Each structure stands twice: as C-alpha cells, then as structure tokens.
Amino acid sequence: METPRLLDGQVAVVTGGAAGIGGGVSRMFAASGATVVLNDVDAELAAAARADIEGAGGAVTTVVGDIRDPETVDRLHAAATDVAGGRVDVLVNNVGDFRPNAWFLDSDQEHWDGQYAITLEHVFRCTKAFLPIMVEQGRGAIVNNSTVEAFRGIPRNTVYSAFNAGIVAFTRSLAVEFGRHGVRVNAIAPDMADTLQTPAEWMLGGRDPAMLRCWIPLGRFGDPQDYARVVLFLASEMSAFVTGVTIPVDGGTLAAGGWYGRENGRGFTNFPEHP
Ligand SMILES: NC(=O)c1ccc[n+]([C@@H]2O[C@H](COP(=O)([O-])OP(=O)(O)OC[C@H]3O[C@@H](n4cnc5c(N)ncnc54)[C@H](O)[C@@H]3O)[C@@H](O)[C@H]2O)c1
C-alpha cells in the first residue's frame, strides 16, 4: 500500500521512534513527507531507522537518549526546533513498556514509580515541551500511545493499566483544553503487535499459529504498519474533526473480550481452549 503524502513539509517528533510501533510510525511519517525527529534510547536501532528513512529518500534527525530523562527531552526540543525555524506540527508520545509486571500485592513504591516514569511522566514532559509551539502556531496534532488494557482488565499489570488509563484521560482532557488553539490530541490503544517488546513467537508461546483465528477476530498479529497507519490518520488533516479519542488498534481483541480465570483456579487465560 503506497503511503499518501499527508504530512508533506511538516515536522513530526516521535519518541521511541526506531523500532516496533514507533519505528513503523517514523518510517511511514517520513514516507508521507514529514521531516521526522526521532528519539530512541537505542543508538543502533536509531541508526538503522535513519538508514532506512534516508535510503527511501526521507528526512530524519535522530536524538539518542532515554525519554524518561528531562535532559533528553531538552535535546529533542532543541533538535526539533532547529529543523524548520521552530515549527513542530506533530508529536507522537510512543514510549511505554508493560514488561516490569507484578501481582499487585507484590508491587512496591519502586515498581509504581518505574511504571509512572515509563508510561506517563515523559508524556507530560514532552507534551509540556512541544505544546506551546503548537499553540503559538494555532495548529498541531498530538498522538499518544496507550493500550487496550486501559479498557480491559489484565492481571499482574494493574499499575501499568492504571497509568495507561491515565494516558486515555489525559488525551481526552487535553483535547478539550486545547481544541480552541487548533491543537488536536488523540491516542491509539494497541494490542497484539509483533514487535521487539511482544514478538509473535513469544505471544504464541508454542501454540499452533492456526489458533490465531480463534484468538484474534482478524486472525493475525499486528504489523507495525497497522498501527502506523492509524497514527498517520490521527496526525494528519484526514482526521481534522477528530479530537480526544483513543482508537483501539488490536485486530478486534477488545471487542472480543478479555481475560478469564482458568476452570482449575490456577491463573488466568485469554485463550479459548482450557489447558
Ligand atoms: N506491542 C504491543 O502489542 C503493545 C500493546 C499495547 C501497547 N503497546 C504500546 O506501544 C508502544 C510501543 O510498543 P512496541 O511494542 O512497539 O515496543 P518496542 O519495545 O518493540 O519498541 C519500543 C521502541 O522504543 C524505544 N524505547 C524504549 N524505551 C525507551 C526510552 N525510555 N526512551 C526512548 N526510547 C525508548 C525502543 O528502543 C524501541 O525502539 C509502547 O508504549 C507500548 O506500551 C504495545
């Protein structure tokens, strides 16, 4: 599918933009005509993304650093405002990680602080850094990355899902506050992405891939491009009258339901078989 030039001449900042969903977004944004200002903590992955984008004739600047660190946000701001005389059209707050999980009674202050830092705090910090530019311009689009688990319960990830519900609420309220300034704020809620964080093999856990047709209504895992297309829609004028919403990008898993306790009382399953 050819990428439409929906962001021609625009400057777009993407956090965690080297690999996975963010990597798909950066590459698709560049193909759609944007100059991408790509942050990532992994220098090698950032260099690979840069090579891909430039190889395809796109424009990119990379800022390597941990987005949880305020100094990285400062450098990202400096790099982005350097690109086109201070203009920034799109901000994608993509970084997040579900892996440090714990049963709630085993979780502690360190876990809560860690989840806050990787899920929500940098979203506040980046938004605070770039929003004044968008307000000044009288236009801009922010796209946040949440998860279906902001809407559907997930055992062992209570704190993660709480902070991701925070992203959904932040998206909604910020949209109301800044709509009058021409700034739209939306989010996606992914599930089932075949990425470094959740590789297909790990999600399958040895199961027959034919199980996918029972597990996911659309019968397959998501490719980073599946998520990037929706982010591109939300970032572009194609969604000019859309703000404050979170779109599930999940092959239909949220619609299909959630987690179920196993009949034998040992843990949970979201698979249709009863192992
Ligand atoms: N994979 C899924 O199915 C899924 C489901 C729900 C939500 N999400 C959300 O989507 C987002 C992206 O997920 P993904 O699966 O593409 O992840 P991923 O781990 O595959 O890729 C994340 C990218 O961000 C970079 N990154 C990680 N921590 C960073 C940090 N502190 N600072 C800067 N860069 C950092 C990584 O190097 C990598 O390039 C996350 O917010 C995640 O919670 C993913």
Side-chain angles (χ1 to χ4, degrees):
M1 194 184 300
E2 198 167 321
T3 304
R5 305 275 302 178
L6 293 173
L7 300 180
D8 238 344
Q10 299 196 22
V11 177
V13 175
V14 183
T15 72
I21 293 172
V25 170
S26 298
R27 288 165 174 83
M28 192 169 287
F29 274 16
S32 78
T35 296
V36 176
V37 184
L38 181 165
N39 151 259
D40 207 279
V41 72
D42 188 311
E44 253 177 60
L45 291 175
R50 180 186 196 117
D52 281 357
I53 290 172
E54 290 180 342
V60 63
T61 297
T62 53
V63 177
V64 174
D66 189 330
I67 201 63
R68 291 171 292 189
D69 183 346
E71 185 265 337
T72 302
V73 178
D74 289 346
R75 284 192 293 116
L76 190 60
H77 184 271
T81 51
D82 203 35
V83 162
R87 231 185 70 230
V88 175
D89 304 284
V90 179
L91 168 66
V92 180
N93 287 310
N94 166 67
V95 167
D97 201 327
F98 85 104
R99 284 170 291 195
N101 55 17
W103 296 110
F104 182 70
L105 285 180
D106 295 332
S107 71
D108 55 14
Q109 186 71 47
E110 194 186 337
H111 177 78
W112 305 337
D113 291 348
Q115 274 297 337
Y116 173 56
I118 194 68
T119 310
L120 197 49
E121 188 180 32
H122 64 83
V123 175
F124 293 160
R125 204 173 275 134
C126 286
T127 303
K128 186 106 191 264
F130 290 105
L131 190 53
I133 299 173
M134 296 179 176
V135 169
E136 176 78 22
Q137 293 166 172
R139 68 180 298 276
I142 297 173
V143 186
N144 298 320
N145 199 342
S146 180
T147 170
V148 290
E149 268 98 28
F151 303 98
R152 179 185 75 195
I154 176 170
R156 295 198 80 216
N157 288 275
T158 48
V159 179
Y160 164 82
S161 67
F163 284 125
N164 272 288
I167 290 185
V168 173
F170 177 63
T171 298
R172 205 183 283 131
S173 294
L174 198 72
V176 174
E177 208 167 301
F178 286 92
R180 70 186 61 180
H181 297 284
V183 180
R184 297 183 303 105
V185 191
N186 293 291
I188 62 165
D191 196 12
M192 298 296 168
D194 180 10
T195 61
L196 296 175
Q197 195 171 130
T198 51
E201 257 185 58
W202 174 82
M203 287 192 279
L204 275 170
R207 292 176 188 84
D208 180 354
M211 279 294 294
L212 286 173
R213 73 179 190 285
C214 311
W215 182 12
I216 304 169
L218 291 180
R220 63 174 177 87
F221 291 126
D223 180 84
Q225 297 234 333
D226 290 314
Y227 307 85
R229 280 190 199 103
V230 181
V231 175
L232 177 58
F233 164 72
L234 290 172
S236 76
E237 287 299 300
M238 291 289 282
S239 60
F241 204 50
V242 179
T243 198
V245 305
T246 299
I247 302 180
V249 190
D250 62 352
T253 57
L254 187 59
W259 289 85
Y260 302 94
R262 288 200 176 91
E263 276 180 340
N264 62 14
R266 287 176 25 213
F268 294 82
T269 181
N270 67 346
F271 289 93
E273 88 275 34
H274 296 273

